[in-house]
């Protein structure tokens, strides 16, 4: 394993990073929502913060935006100590939540004006910023439309516009793509890449594992602790010692039952019309693994079986890491 | 005589004031299918499911569950279906075992069968050791399994599951699908709505719903085959530069950035090697590899190239 979860522990916080956190901890009663996190988020990156519901993602964001105070740890955001001086970074960061926090009975323009006020945008800068945001979100001509009448995809883009009206250096996005369709979701990611290309750092939480491929760098959080960190490619390569075979067979139901019992198969599950068999790190070489399994399956009566080794998905890695947690 | 399909809807519609939540949906779900209903929030998925479950009245049209009309003979429909809504609807202060017993009693399951079925469901779902725990104190994944167990006690032939795995962690999600695979083996028909495109791949049939209408319908394989061309992934030192270069290629029908990689839909009929030549011709060092089209990519690219409707947003 090339990643050391304790590599940053005890090292000083890094003022050059967009976010730098050491030992960050938040308890609610006897429940540790965030349990000693150490992480550095470099500037200008799309940083994905992945984990299931209840794993501590939102609590982390609320501490980093200065909304709630941690019990322990240090946190620098854009070089400012957000625990001691939560106000200092406020004008330089933006925040967008899944709930979009837009006023449905206000127009597009009125929502933008409201957020310009919230973020203390100087009035002389509003016209230019408003124009930029309307163009980015493709909302030109809809300035006077009621927000309630916009589709989910439009509202999502307006919410992004509202969160960036003050031209922040760092943007927190908490589950920004929940409940939108694949097309709107991809258009939204195109917009995020535009922001990133202008140097904005993006800190994005999601429980959609497939969205991880959109990020330059990822951290997995599980039960308040970081269990992996790296680029999507590194995570797929370094964090799973198991290998995955895609198995095609005429009777996948029967084959699934066989695989669930088979020796050397750690896990098997349906993936579309085929099956994925997770094989523990055995001695088989690159070209030996598929014949090893298909040979045994033919003996078991699956005459038409075919298998090919495939790359693990981010979700495969996550499931594997979680199953190894104490 | 052939038996009727598990579900058949005829121009089924539901209107809430100004909003046409479900707009003349005609759809058939064969016996034994695992039918995935996909689409964004507000597409009408829940309303469609609620009409099939007989809890929401149709404004017009009708639906038939195993041949019985949901509007005219709901009493024939309800004994054969199990419905799991999006909200956790168990009593939080009753234990797992008490919830199961209580709801099975409401469904008229005889006492002797209640005990044996509850025991076998709890065991197969890995809930046996939590039988005495209050439902409100279960994790998200276990709550979903309890609700499913409750839904299965009267042995329904049709399961209606409204986003059963939203927000559940990936490990619990896989386990939930393993249980569904077992039910599928046993012959139960399943209609499941989900925002997760990877779950669509585990269904035998899928329909993509938007603005109250079914936009695409078929097996996952069929949907993916609608995507015209080859999906290629380009890795280069500077992804933004690669994005710009690939966008200019005449054979590129749709190009997007995915993290540090560029994905391009390369026109059908065009040689994949032409992309290599295009890139080096533009002075770019990059590696190109074909990638498998997944459902999310399929729907996004289908909208880009304008297959099967979908209005511009």
């Amino acid at each position: 394993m090339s990643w050391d979860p304790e590599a940053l522990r005890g090292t000083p916080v890094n003022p050059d990073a967009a976010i730098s956190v050491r030992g960050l901890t938040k308890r609610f009663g006897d429940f540790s929502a965030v349990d000693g996190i150490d992480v550095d988020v470099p500037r200008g990156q799309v940083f994905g913060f992945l984990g299931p519901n209840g794993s501590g993602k939102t609590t982390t964001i609320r501490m980093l935006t200065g909304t709630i105070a941690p019990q322990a740890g240090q946190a620098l955001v854009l070089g400012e100590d957000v625990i001691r001086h939560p106000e200092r970074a406020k004008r330089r960061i933006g925040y967008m939540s899944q709930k979009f926090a837009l006023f449905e009975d206000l127009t597009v323009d009125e929502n933008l004006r409201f957020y310009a006020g919230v973020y203390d945008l100087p009035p002389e800068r509003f016209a230019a910023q408003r124009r930029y945001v309307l163009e980015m979100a493709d909302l030109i001509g809809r300035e006077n439309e009621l927000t309630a009448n916009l589709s989910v995809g439009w509202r999502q883009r307006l919410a992004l516009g509202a969160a960036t009206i003050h031209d922040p250096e760092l943007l927190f996005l908490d589950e920004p793509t929940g409940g939108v369709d694949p097309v709107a979701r991809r258009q939204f990611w195109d917009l995020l890449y535009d922001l990133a290309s202008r140097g904005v750092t993006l800190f994005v939480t999601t429980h959609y594992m497939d969205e991880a491929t959109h990020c330059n760098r990822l951290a997995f959080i599980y039960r308040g602790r970081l269990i992996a960190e790296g680029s999507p490619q590194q995570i797929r390569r370094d964090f799973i010692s198991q290998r995955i075979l895609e198995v095609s067979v005429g009777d996948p139901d029967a084959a699934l039952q066989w695989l669930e019992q088979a020796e050397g198969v750690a896990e098997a599950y349906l993936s579309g019309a085929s099956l994925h068999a997770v094989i523990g790190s055995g001695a088989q070489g690159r070209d030996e693994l598929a014949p090893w399994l298909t040979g045994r399956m033919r003996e078991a009566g699956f005459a038409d079986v075919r298998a090919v080794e495939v790359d693990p998905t981010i979700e495969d890695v996550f499931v594997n890491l979680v199953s190894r947690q104490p | 005589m052939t038996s009727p399909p598990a579900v058949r809807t005829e121009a089924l519609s539901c209107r809430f004031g100004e909003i046409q939540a479900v707009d003349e949906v005609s759809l058939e779900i064969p016996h034994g299918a695992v039918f995935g209903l996909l689409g964004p929030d507000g597409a009408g998925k829940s309303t469609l499911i609620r009409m099939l479950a007989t809890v929401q009245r149709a404004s017009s049209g009708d639906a038939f569950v195993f041949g019985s009309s949901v509007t005219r003979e709901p009493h024939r429909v309800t004994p054969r279906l199990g419905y799991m809504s999006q909200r956790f609807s168990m009593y939080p202060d009753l234990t797992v075992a008490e919830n199961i017993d209580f709801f099975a009693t409401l469904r008229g399951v005889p006492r002797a069968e209640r005990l044996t079925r509850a025991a076998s469901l709890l065991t197969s779902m890995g809930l046996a050791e939590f039988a005495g725990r209050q439902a409100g104190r279960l994790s998200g994944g276990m709550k979903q399994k309890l609700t499913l167990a409750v839904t299965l006690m009267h042995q329904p032939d049709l399961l209606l599951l409204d986003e059963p795995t939203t927000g559940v962690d990936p490990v619990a999600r896989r386990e939930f699908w393993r249980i569904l695979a077992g039910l599928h083996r046993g012959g139960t028909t399943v209609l499941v709505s989900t925002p997760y495109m990877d779950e669509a791949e585990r269904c035998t049939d899928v329909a993509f719903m938007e603005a109250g209408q079914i936009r695409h319908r078929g097996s996952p394989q069929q949907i993916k085959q609608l995507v015209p061309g080859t999906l290629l992934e380009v890795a280069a030192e500077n992804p933004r530069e690669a994005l710009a270069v690939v966008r200019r290629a005449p054979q590129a029908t749709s190009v997007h950035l995915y993290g540090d990689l560029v994905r391009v839909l390369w026109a059908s009929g065009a040689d994949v090697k032409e992309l290599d030549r295009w890139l080096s011709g533009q002075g770019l060092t990059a590696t190109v590899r074909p990638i498998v089209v997944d459902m999310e990519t399929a729907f996004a690219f289908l909208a880009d190239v304008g297959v099967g409707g979908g209005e511009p947003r």
Side-chain angles (χ1 to χ4, degrees), chain A residues 302-323:
Chain A
F302 298 100
D304 59 348
V305 67
R306 282 177 299 132
V308 55
E309 185 160 359
V310 294
D311 289 335
T313 64
I314 293 288
E315 181 170 306
D316 286 326
V317 180
F318 185 86
V319 169
N320 185 252
L321 283 171
V322 165
S323 64

Side-chain angles (χ1 to χ4, degrees), chain A residues 52-53 138 152 154 157 178-183 185-186 190 193-194 197 207-210 213-216 233 253 256-257 260 267 269-273 311 315-316 318-319 322, chain B residues 39-41 166-171 173-174 178 181 184-185 195-198 201-202 208 210 221 240 247 254 256-261 263 289 296-297 299-301 303-304 313:
Chain A
N53 285 4
D138 203 12
V152 182
W154 288 107
R157 294 204 291 272
V180 306
D181 66 280
V183 179
R185 184 164 10 181
R186 203 179 49 184
D190 287 346
Y193 291 133
D194 278 348
S197 72
H207 65 266
Y208 289 93
M209 293 289 151
D210 57 348
T213 48
H214 285 288
C215 303
N216 305 119
Q233 290 84 348
D253 285 339
L256 182 62
Q257 279 183 305
E260 280 175 350
E267 197 197 351
Y269 53 91
L270 281 166
S271 176
D311 289 335
E315 181 170 306
D316 286 326
F318 185 86
V319 169
V322 165
Chain B
D41 281 1
T166 298
V168 170
D169 80 72
V171 181
R173 206 151 72 87
R174 270 195 193 171
R178 198 179 54 75
H184 171 58
R185 271 200 290 273
Y196 296 100
M197 290 294 150
D198 62 333
E201 311 240 6
R202 304 184 187 196
F208 189 79
E210 193 179 17
Q221 211 53 37
R240 317 210 125 259
R247 281 219 165 115
S254 168
H256 291 272
L257 200 57
Y258 282 77
D260 293 333
L261 302 165
R263 281 190 189 172
R289 62 169 199 148
E296 167 116 13
T297 320
F299 282 121
F301 279 102
D304 265 6
R313 275 160 273 221

Side-chain angles (χ1 to χ4, degrees), chain B residues 268-284:
Chain B
S268 50
D271 187 349
V272 171
K273 290 209 173 60
E274 286 170 29
L275 179 55
D276 282 321
R277 284 197 286 275
W278 173 265
L279 290 167
S280 51
Q282 304 279 317
L284 202 79

Side-chain angles (χ1 to χ4, degrees), chain B residues 170-209:
Chain B
V171 181
R173 206 151 72 87
R174 270 195 193 171
E175 204 185 332
F176 194 85
W177 274 92
R178 198 179 54 75
I179 294 167
L180 288 191
L183 292 166
H184 171 58
R185 271 200 290 273
T188 308
T189 306
V190 180
L191 169 60
V192 54
S193 70
T194 176
Y196 296 100
M197 290 294 150
D198 62 333
E199 293 189 347
E201 311 240 6
R202 304 184 187 196
C203 300
T204 58
D205 297 89
V206 295
F208 189 79
M209 196 168 181

Side-chain angles (χ1 to χ4, degrees), chain A:
Chain A
M1 188 110 341
S2 61
W3 183 73
D4 174 7
E6 307 208 344
L8 290 174
R9 191 150 304 164
T11 64
V13 278
N14 177 1
D16 297 327
I19 298 169
S20 185
V21 154
R22 297 292 180 271
L24 196 66
T25 300
K26 181 71 190 178
R27 285 182 294 268
F28 297 107
D30 58 358
F31 170 67
S32 289
V34 174
D35 194 4
I37 284 184
D38 305 294
V39 72
D40 281 347
V41 177
R43 292 200 190 217
Q45 291 217 321
V46 181
F47 190 90
F49 201 52
L50 273 72
N53 285 4
S55 55
K57 301 189 298 292
T58 299
T59 305
T60 303
I61 285 196
R62 291 174 67 199
M63 287 191 280
L64 294 176
T65 52
T67 316
I68 55 171
Q71 271 94 4
Q74 295 171 278
L76 291 189
V77 170
L78 300 170
E80 302 282 3
D81 182 337
V82 286
I83 298 164
R84 288 207 202 129
H85 308 288
E87 289 301 309
R88 284 194 187 161
K90 188 190 146 195
R91 286 180 204 185
R92 297 164 63 198
I93 62 176
Y95 168 71
M96 173 181 164
S97 83
Q98 185 179 15
K99 300 282 173 233
F100 296 171
L102 295 169
F103 294 95
E104 303 232 323
D105 52 348
L106 294 188
T107 65
V108 168
D109 217 17
E110 288 164 343
N111 265 300
L112 292 181
R113 272 175 206 286
F114 173 81
Y115 278 96
V118 168
Y119 288 117
D120 291 331
L121 180 71
E124 64 274 16
R125 284 182 57 205
F126 178 70
Q129 275 303 112
R130 170 181 172 275
R131 171 137 202 101
Y132 169 76
V133 161
L134 289 172
E135 271 174 14
M136 170 203 71
D138 203 12
L139 282 163
I140 301 259
R142 292 176 178 258
E143 296 88 340
N144 298 317
E145 221 167 288
L146 270 190
T147 304
N149 296 341
L150 299 175
S151 75
V152 182
W154 288 107
R155 253 182 286 166
Q156 185 193 37
R157 294 204 291 272
L158 175 58
L160 180 65
T164 53
I165 190 78
H166 57 307
D167 198 15
E169 294 161 59
L170 167 64
L171 184 59
F172 291 96
L173 299 125
D174 195 5
E175 304 268 350
T177 56
V180 306
D181 66 280
V183 179
R185 184 164 10 181
R186 203 179 49 184
Q187 287 174 345
F188 187 74
W189 277 101
D190 287 346
L191 293 180
L192 295 188
Y193 291 133
D194 278 348
L195 286 169
S197 72
R198 296 193 301 127
V200 180
T201 307
L202 300 161
F203 186 90
V204 187
T205 73
T206 178
H207 65 266
Y208 289 93
M209 293 289 151
D210 57 348
E211 285 205 315
T213 48
H214 285 288
C215 303
N216 305 119
R217 216 173 162 76
L218 302 173
F220 283 176
I221 182 169
Y222 185 69
R223 293 185 185 160
R225 293 188 179 177
L226 287 195
I227 58 172
E229 205 230 322
S231 73
Q233 290 84 348
Q234 278 171 346
I235 284 189
R236 288 166 61 159
R237 192 185 60 222
D238 299 344
F239 284 88
I240 188 163
S241 54
Q242 295 165 317
R243 294 157 68 187
I244 296 174
L245 288 173
E246 187 169 88
V247 180
S248 313
V249 60
D251 186 351
D253 285 339
L256 182 62
Q257 279 183 305
W258 185 87
L259 284 166
E260 280 175 350
Q261 311 293 327
E263 199 182 319
V265 178
E267 197 197 351
Y269 53 91
L270 281 166
S271 176
S274 49
L275 298 161
H276 279 189
V278 183
I279 313 291
S281 50
Q284 290 84 13
R286 183 86 208 161
D287 301 322
E288 296 164 8
L289 192 63
W292 168 79
L293 186 69
T294 50
R296 288 170 59 198
M297 289 188 73
R298 282 203 191 92
E299 277 172 34
F302 298 100
D304 59 348
V305 67
R306 282 177 299 132
V308 55
E309 185 160 359
V310 294
D311 289 335
T313 64
I314 293 288
E315 181 170 306
D316 286 326
V317 180
F318 185 86
V319 169
N320 185 252
L321 283 171
V322 165
S323 64
R324 282 192 268 148
Q325 296 298 304

Side-chain angles (χ1 to χ4, degrees), chain B residues 59-83:
Chain B
S59 311
S60 62
D62 204 350
F64 302 87
V65 172
F66 300 112
S68 302
S69 159
V70 297
T71 55
R72 284 174 286 113
E73 34 191 5
H75 59 283
R76 285 183 194 275
V77 172
T78 47
R80 301 195 64 181
L81 60 83
Y83 166 55

